[in-house]
Amino acid sequence: MSASDSLPVYDGPKCRICCDLMPNRQIPLPNGKWVDVQKQGKMTLSLAVWLSDVYESAKTCVNCKVMIEALECFEGKEPRLEDEMFTVDGRVGTSLKLEYNLADDEYLRFIEVFSDTESESCLGRATLIEVDIDPRKAAEIAKRRLRECIDSHDECRVGRRGFIPTRVVDVGTGDGLPRLVETTEDMKDTDYVALSYCWGLAQSLTTTKAILPKRLEGIPWEDIPKTLHEAIEFVQHLGLSYIWIDALCIIQDDGLDWEKEAAQMKNVYENALFTLSATSAPDVATGCFLARNNPVHELHSAKPQHTYYARRPCFDTHSKLFSYSVDTEIEMDNYPAMKRGWIYQERLLSQRILYCAYDELIWECRNTITCECNPTSLHRHHGGNAIVSYKRQMGHLSDPTQFNKKNSSCFPIIDLWLSLVQSYSQRVFTKYTDRLIALSGIAQKFQPLSIGNYYAGIWSSEIHHQLAWTRDANPKALRVKEAARIPGSPSWSWCSINQPCVFDDVMNPPRISTRLTALNYKAELSSPDPTGPVSYARLTLSGPCIEAKIVLGPPVEENPSSPLKAYISLCNKQYLITPDIPQWHNAPQSADSLAASDEVSCLEIYITKKGFKDNVNVKPDSPWDDPEHPDQYYNYRFPWLVLKWSPPHDAYRRVGIVNFANRPSFDQEEQAPGEMMRHAAMRVVDIV
């Protein structure tokens, strides 16, 4: 008996073009039967179809007719598609996705087709999104999600620690005015909502020392900008009494109050019942709940049997908020709040969030992520960006030290920290001096873990990984023209520049060799918070070091308006470096300026090994420094800090980094710097 005889089979789909929108049917067997993959447990559909075939099949197949009608709703009659094809993807019981390019258009387009009833096919049910959203409707959605979360999610029922912010806004009832309330000890178990939003340039409503007494009496509705107005109404419809809004609850012209409240942001967002995020509002004048412009088309091809709908999917929001792993790959113009540095921390710390995006509301808690268009969780336990990874690994832990128990080394914790920092560095600030304090709540979450002391944005454990940051030279990285050092921040930390940063992706820690040692750290804090900003910091390192000279070359990509290329000169060869601050022709001189023939010191951070050399008989899992085979691996990557002497500080300043990435195919001369450093003397250097 052949293997095919034991497979579940059936007579084949009625429509050989769309396969009846059931899980993929494979090609017919020699006996004319088709393999029934659904009986084998396959639940997904993935087809590439010719548009002309679907048009022809639509004469007799309702499913093909529905797909054609959906395409024509958005692209007009007989649309011109690239390659005259489109793809069809779905899963049993959920909506169907059509994916295509128009001819002469580089952008991929999507259409979601769904029913209002349950289905056994891949043209299944989805939820109609509210066409007009307002605080009352949003509150009804939030109530349902909150009740489900409290009743069903064990990890979301972690007890509060008896905390209420120093001040909250009493939202009032009926015709009563909202007013600021100074909280008391007996209110510590009171539920409140925290607001996360962009101030923008339109923030006119704040609390100052002079206006505080009036804020305690009441805040006239006509004085409240739209975003705050809608947030207060939303909380009223929830049936709660209090909301925390930073502009009102922190005395903005009182430096001591601002420092005190900023240091306890961690508690404010962690202990809120949930956070309301005005995700798509660029300022306080726009509102939380925006007018929606994603039309839903009712399809008539299948009537009277079924009602089907077509719309552009909220795929954009799902992927950009939760899926993409590298921030520079995506465009966040529709989600301005997600660009802001302070809001990054608010998002990480919140145990529950209601995102008010331009196209739908999304609910996120420690257990799940759901949205208006699909009430099932699709994202929490899959891939995702640094924020999703953090919440999956640590966000649900009432005791962060539980993370230690799952990991035998601190590297996974440092790796998670670096992924957060890299993502955070993409965010923008009005004041870049806030970079450390706006991350202090997250740093406090990491403090109980076994990763050493906190040094202005990096941890003493695995310090060599964290010193190997590079200014993001990706063309999509922002703010290159405005590049500058942040006053007070140490040059050796990623937080010292107002630019996006990237870290080397080191996948195999056991194959890393470092001779770098941190000997001492001194800092002057700008506030009592040890995870907050510093006004001065000095790091003493010991490691192999060699001298080099700077060479300046033509602008990047030979474009006069681009930064100059910079090199170190070694062994009669030049090696490209990435300056921490881009170098411009005829730019004013600063501590970070590089000039031709400047003397610099190069400090090796680490060496990684990857790939066996030919004719070396070693075990695949043998350590990189196996004494029996000292040269078994090629040098793969070895980054060096580029340091310039700073007489005013009697110490060095970091001015850039050089990343060598040697592979077997490279010329032997490319190995020369590594060989020089291998025999270099150990030195002790102070860096500020």
Side-chain angles (χ1 to χ4, degrees):
M1 184 174 69
S2 67
S4 61
D5 293 335
S6 62
L7 296 173
V9 297
Y10 78 123
D11 291 335
K14 295 177 182 177
C15 176
R16 304 297 167 93
I17 302 302
C18 71
C19 291
D20 303 338
L21 298 183
M22 297 296 285
N24 259 2
R25 303 318 203 200
Q26 297 174 357
I27 59 175
L29 298 171
N31 61 8
K33 296 289 186 178
W34 286 51
V35 177
D36 193 337
V37 294
Q38 190 171 3
K39 287 186 178 178
Q40 294 178 307
K42 187 177 178 69
M43 301 294 287
T44 58
L45 169 75
S46 183
L47 301 172
V49 293
W50 295 101
L51 182 62
S52 58
D53 287 347
V54 182
Y55 264 108
E56 182 63 29
S57 178
K59 296 174 182 178
T60 55
C61 173
V62 170
N63 291 324
C64 290
K65 190 175 181 182
V66 166
M67 290 193 291
I68 290 296
E69 185 181 356
L71 274 169
E72 292 184 342
C73 280
F74 291 93
E75 308 301 350
K77 292 288 185 181
E78 299 185 0
R80 293 180 59 246
L81 306 187
E82 184 179 11
D83 297 328
E84 295 297 318
M85 295 184 70
F86 64 95
T87 61
V88 182
D89 291 286
R91 185 178 181 84
V92 171
T94 63
S95 59
L96 192 73
K97 304 293 191 303
L98 310 184
E99 180 180 328
Y100 58 95
N101 283 92
L102 293 178
D104 304 320
D105 185 354
E106 62 178 312
Y107 295 104
L108 203 57
R109 302 189 181 207
F110 301 89
I111 296 173
E112 181 182 17
V113 187
F114 61 98
S115 172
D116 60 351
T117 57
E118 299 291 346
S119 170
E120 294 182 357
S121 77
C122 295
L123 180 48
R125 185 178 184 178
T127 306
L128 286 169
I129 296 174
E130 291 280 358
V131 177
D132 298 307
I133 193 72
D134 57 33
R136 180 187 60 79
K137 291 177 181 177
E140 291 303 315
I141 293 171
K143 283 180 186 177
R144 292 196 297 272
R145 298 287 178 257
L146 181 62
R147 177 49 51 200
E148 177 185 348
C149 179
I150 292 172
D151 289 346
S152 307
H153 302 160
D154 291 339
E155 58 267 63
C156 297
R157 287 197 287 265
V158 176
R160 284 182 52 196
R161 292 183 294 244
F163 172 86
I164 187 112
T166 307
R167 304 173 194 91
V168 289
V169 175
D170 185 335
V171 299
T173 55
D175 297 329
L177 293 179
R179 65 186 181 91
L180 194 63
V181 172
E182 293 183 326
T183 59
T184 57
E185 180 66 18
D186 60 357
M187 296 174 65
K188 66 181 183 180
D189 293 319
T190 303
D191 286 331
Y192 65 93
V193 172
L195 180 64
S196 179
Y197 68 107
C198 291
W199 281 35
L201 301 176
Q203 177 63 291
S204 57
L205 186 72
T206 60
T207 296
T208 62
K209 289 185 282 190
I211 203 71
L212 177 60
K214 289 188 177 180
R215 295 281 184 259
L216 296 171
E217 293 174 4
I219 307 171
W221 281 107
E222 60 270 20
D223 292 348
I224 303 175
K226 188 174 182 181
T227 298
L228 309 191
H229 196 297
E230 290 187 347
I232 291 170
E233 282 188 79
F234 169 81
V235 174
Q236 285 181 336
H237 289 297
L238 277 177
L240 298 178
S241 298
Y242 301 109
I243 185 171
W244 187 87
I245 302 172
D246 61 351
L248 296 173
C249 297
I250 300 175
I251 302 174
Q252 298 298 320
D253 62 348
D254 185 332
L256 291 177
D257 189 73
W258 192 91
E259 282 184 8
K260 171 176 169 286
E261 297 303 313
Q264 70 169 8
M265 286 289 188
K266 171 178 176 288
N267 291 325
V268 170
Y269 284 93
E270 273 192 328
N271 289 288
L273 185 63
F274 66 89
T275 294
L276 178 67
S277 169
T279 308
S280 292
D283 54 44
V284 292
T286 302
C288 293
F289 310 106
L290 309 186
R292 293 173 172 177
N293 57 3
N294 185 10
V296 177
H297 298 276
E298 185 175 334
L299 307 180
H300 304 283
S301 300
K303 283 192 172 184
Q305 296 95 334
H306 298 285
T307 301
Y308 291 123
Y309 303 91
R311 66 186 174 201
R312 295 291 188 194
C314 300
F315 177 84
D316 186 62
T317 295
H318 299 165
S319 58
K320 289 182 177 178
L321 293 189
F322 304 107
S323 298
Y324 281 97
S325 59
V326 181
D327 291 84
T328 51
E329 290 179 355
I330 58 177
E331 177 55 65
M332 297 294 279
D333 284 349
N334 287 326
Y335 319 95
M338 299 296 101
K339 297 179 180 181
R340 306 298 302 180
W342 279 100
I343 290 174
Y344 188 84
Q345 175 175 251
E346 294 163 11
R347 186 179 173 192
L348 277 167
L349 292 173
S350 300
Q351 63 171 323
R352 304 180 185 96
I353 308 179
L354 183 68
Y355 297 93
C356 305
Y358 73 98
D359 52 356
E360 67 171 342
L361 302 181
I362 299 179
W363 174 268
E364 178 187 26
C365 66
R366 288 167 172 164
N367 173 275
T368 192
I369 300 171
T370 63
C371 55
E372 284 184 80
C373 73
N374 193 330
T376 13
S377 171
L378 297 177
H379 311 283
R380 170 59 75 224
H381 302 291
H382 300 278
N385 56 27
I387 293 177
V388 173
S389 179
Y390 167 83
K391 291 192 173 185
R392 185 170 60 241
Q393 296 183 65
M394 279 186 63
H396 68 284
L397 298 179
S398 57
D399 176 9
T401 58
Q402 295 176 44
F403 191 78
N404 280 342
K405 298 175 182 177
K406 298 189 298 181
N407 297 283
S408 57
S409 76
C410 64
F411 183 80
I413 306 170
I414 295 298
D415 191 48
L416 178 60
W417 172 259
L418 293 182
S419 68
L420 291 174
V421 164
Q422 181 167 306
S423 177
Y424 176 70
S425 74
Q426 307 286 336
R427 270 57 186 179
V428 295
F429 287 88
T430 303
K431 299 177 181 178
Y432 277 89
T433 49
D434 289 349
R435 243 188 173 187
L436 279 178
I437 195 169
L439 194 66
S440 64
I442 302 304
Q444 291 167 36
K445 291 280 283 186
F446 277 74
Q447 270 186 318
L449 307 177
S450 301
I451 52 176
N453 298 317
Y454 189 66
Y455 297 163
I458 69 176
W459 301 91
S460 57
S461 293
E462 303 285 344
I463 195 170
H464 49 286
H465 291 298
Q466 300 166 77
L467 292 174
W469 57 269
T470 307
R471 174 179 54 83
D472 192 351
N474 187 314
K476 294 183 181 179
L478 306 177
R479 310 187 299 280
V480 173
K481 274 287 188 183
E482 296 78 29
R485 290 283 182 191
I486 298 172
S489 298
S491 66
W492 41 265
S493 174
W494 59 268
C495 71
S496 66
I497 62 173
N498 61 353
Q499 299 295 296
C501 300
V502 294
F503 292 85
D504 276 341
D505 185 15
V506 181
M507 302 302 294
N508 199 337
R511 291 184 183 166
I512 293 172
S513 163
T514 182
R515 292 179 282 171
L516 190 73
T517 306
L519 300 178
N520 195 21
Y521 171 74
K522 294 179 181 178
E524 295 175 6
L525 299 175
S526 301
S527 73
D529 178 11
T531 60
V534 298
S535 56
Y536 172 82
R538 189 182 191 99
L539 183 64
T540 304
L541 299 173
S542 170
C545 195
I546 58 177
E547 306 304 311
K549 288 190 175 183
I550 292 293
V551 176
L552 293 180
V556 176
E557 298 177 353
E558 313 303 326
N559 183 346
S561 63
S562 296
L564 298 173
K565 293 179 182 178
Y567 304 84
I568 56 169
S569 178
L570 284 172
C571 313
N572 297 317
K573 287 182 67 68
Q574 296 175 2
Y575 300 94
L576 187 68
I577 72 172
T578 303
D580 295 342
I581 304 300
Q583 304 295 301
W584 304 94
H585 185 62
N586 293 331
Q589 291 295 300
S590 72
D592 291 289
S593 296
L594 298 175
S597 298
D598 272 354
E599 293 183 351
V600 292
S601 296
C602 299
L603 183 67
E604 181 186 86
I605 308 174
Y606 59 77
I607 299 174
T608 65
K609 305 283 187 174
K610 184 175 182 180
F612 294 106
K613 291 188 177 180
D614 295 335
N615 304 316
V616 177
N617 184 21
V618 293
K619 297 178 180 178
D621 58 349
S622 62
W624 76 271
D625 55 354
D626 185 347
E628 296 182 11
H629 303 282
D631 299 315
Q632 62 177 299
Y633 294 107
Y634 291 105
N635 287 348
Y636 175 61
R637 178 182 291 125
F638 43 103
W640 295 354
L641 292 181
V642 181
L643 308 174
K644 184 179 176 182
W645 183 251
S646 174
H649 299 98
D650 193 28
Y652 288 94
R653 286 173 57 85
R654 173 182 155 146
V655 292
I657 192 169
V658 54
N659 274 299
F660 295 97
N662 292 347
R663 292 175 174 81
S665 60
F666 278 31
D667 189 279
Q668 185 61 34
E669 290 185 4
E670 297 291 336
Q671 301 282 352
E675 286 301 308
M676 283 186 65
M677 190 63 83
R678 184 174 180 177
H679 300 289
M682 300 289 287
R683 280 179 52 191
V684 174
V685 295
D686 290 328
I687 314 175
V688 294

